[in-house]
Amino acid sequence: MMKILYAASEARPFIASGGLADVAGSLPGALCEAGADCRVILPLYSGIPGELKAQMEFLTCFTVNLAWRRLYCGVFSAKVGNVTYYFVDNEYYFKRDGIYGFYDDAERFAFFSKAVLDVIGAVGFKPDVINCNDWQTALVPVYYHLYYQQYEGYDNIKTVFTIHNIQYQGKYGKEILENVLGISDQNASVLEYDDCVNFMKGAIQTASRVTTVSPSYAQEILDPWFAYGMDRILKQEQWKLSGILNGIDTTLYNPAKDPAIFEEFDAKHLAKKEENKKKLLESLGLPYHPEKPLIGMVTRLTGHKGVDLVRYIFDAMMEYRDIQMVILGSGEREYEDFFREMQARYPQNVCSIIGFFADRAKQIYAGCDMFLMPSQSEPCGLAQMVALRYGTIPIVRETGGLKDSIQDYGEGDGNGFTFQTYNAHDMKGAVDRAKGLYYGDKKGWAALVKHAMACDFSWKSSAQKYLEVYQSVL
């Protein structure tokens, strides 16, 4: 049985701030179902809910050496489903409000990376593969390569590094190398990149393999436009790189058994989906017009999510008042203010909810006819897969995981509507094509909805591809 240690800085159901938590909360279980022994290791944050902490069992404690420091490290464990979780305890680093954004994040996650390797010896679980995720665990392959591989009990462990978003790399000044990270000048070249210390660069150079969260994104990040400066090292190590499309948790996102939505439904009972639309509009204070398509957006209100395209063309989209829109999200002030203004300008057609509310997000997935996702870049994206699961047709730009998961309706064989160039008029063209089918061919629209709901984005096939990557390095 293949043994995998999955190192991440967040994972559902314990702690979450973004998509990494969804992946770390779902993929390990799918790997176990496929026959592997996959265990997850996380920091023990104070933000983990008390009822989940109550299920944890204390295993051991020891000292982690980090540069000149000798640091306490406790290890707790818990089991969720078929997955064992280990938690690294150090209150100085992790008993804080929040996960990231502290002045000493480099030191905090250097400690965690060292602890990941020390836990292996302390709990007696020697993995065949350690799968690390994003910059917070990028030092695991670096420390293993420099210091641990020659230790007794650490031989022949392979490391896989997964890039979820290349924009966040763990970049710091060179002064932290020896004093904070405990890496000597003679090994400085492993982490130095563009005249600074770059955690992600170190992982790309030292890991056995590098993966990212969709095949298209794996190609895009070789291009300077998408790579945020990492294209040179990625081209140098391109032989290691592959992309595997993320899946979604099909139990969490299941319209047939979802208490958060107004009416549970499946592909055989689409009249109940229409009930969700009606009740969603009523709850938002918008009039219900069954003949008008309702377009939803659940997004961070930032430039790279394509919100500027929507802003540029919004009045033209509303010209004939033949659509309604609901937007849920928060982010940059200028976009929040814009959507508030659009709600005031089009009170019968637009509702803007500034903030994030998980149950309301699901109600939008279930109640809308279309889901707009015009991202400038999107490593994988989960929202378009969730929308399909709820029979809501995605309208997306062809980038990253959006390109890999959504095929244009075209001659009737796709599962959504796509556009290529990052252009507001091209986006409106895709919306207009979706509207054309909705208004002009009710049978065709119903068939598209059923096809969307039949798409399989469970973790099963993705887990198999991860196992193939692990097998290739062993």
Side-chain angles (χ1 to χ4, degrees):
M1 181 187 285
M2 190 189 299
K3 291 192 278 190
I4 303 143
L5 186 61
Y6 198 86
S9 56
E10 56 182 87
R12 292 188 189 278
F14 297 98
I15 194 99
S17 75
L20 170 58
D22 291 315
V23 178
S26 304
L27 174 58
L31 291 167
C32 288
E33 282 173 22
D37 180 1
C38 182
R39 306 184 188 185
V40 180
I41 186 163
L42 302 165
L44 182 58
Y45 299 107
S46 59
I48 295 173
E51 64 271 17
L52 293 173
K53 282 184 181 168
Q55 298 168 22
M56 296 177 190
E57 175 191 353
F58 175 76
L59 295 182
T60 186
C61 64
F62 50 85
T63 301
V64 170
N65 297 328
L66 184 66
W68 48 269
R69 301 166 196 81
R70 305 292 175 265
L71 300 159
Y72 167 83
C73 177
V75 185
F76 290 76
S77 78
K79 193 141 188 179
V80 177
N82 54 2
V83 180
T84 298
Y85 289 80
Y86 296 117
F87 299 89
V88 170
D89 177 36
N90 179 295
E91 292 195 349
Y92 174 70
Y93 290 132
F94 302 126
K95 192 175 183 181
R96 306 184 185 188
D97 293 331
I99 309 179
Y100 317 122
F102 298 99
Y103 75 96
D104 58 346
D105 275 357
E107 184 180 322
R108 295 169 71 229
F109 290 106
F111 164 76
F112 178 60
S113 296
K114 263 288 188 80
V116 166
L117 292 161
D118 288 345
V119 164
I120 289 169
V123 304
F125 177 72
K126 183 192 172 187
D128 301 303
V129 175
I130 307 173
N131 191 333
C132 310
N133 294 272
D134 275 351
W135 75 265
Q136 294 90 348
T137 55
L139 290 182
V140 174
V142 174
Y143 285 137
Y144 179 78
H145 172 76
L146 293 178
Y147 306 120
Y148 282 77
Q149 61 181 332
Q150 63 265 39
Y151 292 172
E152 187 180 343
Y154 282 85
D155 54 310
N156 294 323
I157 296 174
K158 304 299 179 184
T159 53
V160 173
F161 179 65
T162 301
I163 300 169
H164 295 261
N165 191 334
I166 204 162
Q167 188 173 351
Y168 306 105
Q169 299 168 9
K171 290 163 80 168
Y172 296 95
K174 290 182 184 178
E175 67 277 1
I176 74 165
L177 261 171
E178 195 147 9
N179 187 42
V180 175
L181 307 183
I183 292 174
S184 62
D185 284 345
Q186 68 193 56
N187 292 316
S189 62
V190 174
L191 284 174
E192 285 178 355
Y193 192 70
D194 286 345
D195 208 33
C196 67
V197 165
N198 188 308
F199 286 24
M200 186 178 280
K201 182 265 182 181
I204 292 167
Q205 186 171 320
T206 56
S208 314
R209 283 289 294 274
V210 178
T211 69
T212 188
V213 290
S214 69
S216 289
Y217 194 60
Q219 289 303 307
E220 287 174 353
I221 58 177
L222 298 170
D223 183 327
W225 174 261
F226 290 97
Y228 290 89
M230 299 300 281
D231 47 296
R232 299 193 316 283
I233 184 67
L234 283 166
K235 281 176 182 165
Q236 189 180 310
E237 305 287 341
Q238 190 175 347
W239 61 275
K240 295 180 182 178
L241 181 65
S242 59
I244 300 170
L245 190 68
N246 282 342
I248 57 170
D249 184 334
T250 52
T251 304
L252 179 65
Y253 299 111
N254 181 4
K257 292 181 181 175
D258 190 342
I261 65 177
F262 296 107
E263 295 281 346
E264 293 173 349
F265 67 97
D266 57 27
K268 292 177 182 171
H269 301 91
L270 292 180
K272 288 197 173 181
K273 177 169 172 61
E274 190 63 26
E275 276 297 305
N276 277 285
K277 177 178 177 178
K278 184 178 182 183
K279 289 179 177 175
L280 173 63
L281 287 164
E282 284 172 1
S283 73
L284 298 173
L286 291 176
Y288 170 60
H289 297 293
E291 76 284 356
K292 282 185 188 177
L294 176 61
I295 301 176
M297 290 183 76
V298 177
T299 184
R300 286 200 307 281
L301 299 178
T302 58
H304 83 272
K305 289 292 185 181
V307 184
D308 51 337
L309 298 188
V310 180
R311 179 169 66 173
Y312 185 82
I313 208 82
F314 202 92
D315 287 321
M317 288 170 64
M318 287 292 161
E319 183 179 3
Y320 301 109
R321 309 293 197 275
D322 57 352
I323 59 170
Q324 292 174 297
M325 280 193 78
V326 53
I327 299 100
L328 171 66
S330 62
E332 293 169 26
R333 179 71 183 271
E334 60 176 307
Y335 297 123
E336 292 183 357
D337 289 346
F338 169 76
F339 283 114
R340 287 189 185 102
E341 185 186 327
M342 290 306 99
Q343 177 174 316
R345 189 179 299 178
Y346 304 105
Q348 302 293 299
N349 297 75
V350 178
C351 179
S352 302
I353 307 163
I354 305 304
F356 184 76
F357 311 96
D359 284 359
R360 182 59 95 186
K362 285 184 159 189
Q363 290 163 8
I364 291 169
Y365 288 125
C368 287
D369 300 296
M370 303 163 193
F371 190 86
L372 183 58
M373 205 169 171
S375 304
Q376 187 174 358
S377 65
E378 196 68 60
C380 176
L382 299 177
Q384 79 280 12
M385 301 181 200
V386 177
L388 288 170
R389 184 104 169 111
Y390 287 80
T392 298
I393 305 305
I395 303 168
V396 306
R397 191 174 95 80
E398 292 178 21
T399 182
L402 299 179
K403 183 177 179 181
D404 294 327
S405 56
I406 306 301
Q407 290 75 48
D408 192 79
Y409 179 73
E411 300 299 312
D413 50 0
N415 59 358
F417 293 86
T418 70
F419 62 103
Q420 287 183 327
T421 51
Y422 191 68
N423 178 287
H425 293 284
D426 287 356
M427 183 196 81
K428 184 175 181 293
V431 172
D432 289 344
R433 287 191 296 116
K435 266 178 15 187
L437 183 68
Y438 186 88
Y439 275 109
D441 185 358
K442 289 296 184 193
K443 280 187 180 174
W445 185 265
L448 174 57
V449 170
K450 287 179 179 177
H451 174 49
M453 295 183 76
C455 293
D456 180 13
F457 288 107
S458 67
W459 273 104
K460 194 173 180 182
S461 64
S462 302
Q464 206 55 53
K465 286 173 183 162
Y466 271 97
L467 287 173
E468 287 166 15
V469 168
Y470 301 153
Q471 198 61 57
S472 73
V473 297
L474 292 175

